[in-house]
Amino acid sequence: MQFNKFPGNNGAYGIRRDEGPRQLVGGMVASQYARSEDTNNTFSLTLLTGAEGAGLPLMRHGQSHVGLYVMDGAIELVLGEKFFRLEKGDYASIPEGTKYGLRMDRVRNVVLVLQTGG
């Protein structure tokens, strides 16, 4: 099994903490742990880390379900035209086709994003 590099297929691999692929998205660091192409198009897993004010604009996934789990800090979640505050330990399930966005609300925030499908 290889570490910190995606196989590009449905093979075994591992990502060590604070290593592996990362990119900047919406003022946050997005650490990828699983991509759909490496899980036979079943899911992807990303850890978003950022400071107050960072976030994602409104978006919609037509064919995938999204789960958000706040591991540290707090976020403001927008679902359609409604706003919800999620704090450490809170989870939100967002069905496919639902418009959503988020904004980080504390000095340090960590959100686990699980998305089904490709």
Side-chain angles (χ1 to χ4, degrees), residues 23-97:
Q23 58 187 351
L24 289 175
V25 176
M28 302 171 290
V29 175
S31 303
Q32 289 186 294
Y33 287 89
R35 304 178 309 172
S36 61
E37 56 264 39
D38 304 306
T39 63
N40 204 25
N41 287 323
T42 55
F43 73 95
S44 64
L45 185 65
T46 304
L47 195 66
L48 298 176
T49 305
E52 185 176 2
L56 298 173
L58 287 175
M59 68 184 96
R60 179 188 336 241
H61 300 286
Q63 297 183 6
S64 60
H65 194 100
V66 176
L68 302 174
Y69 176 73
V70 180
M71 297 177 66
D72 198 8
I75 65 169
E76 182 178 82
L77 174 64
V78 181
L79 287 177
E81 296 182 15
K82 295 182 180 180
F83 294 81
F84 301 91
R85 182 175 173 81
L86 300 176
E87 297 185 356
K88 181 179 180 178
D90 291 345
Y91 171 80
S93 178
I94 304 167
E96 63 185 43

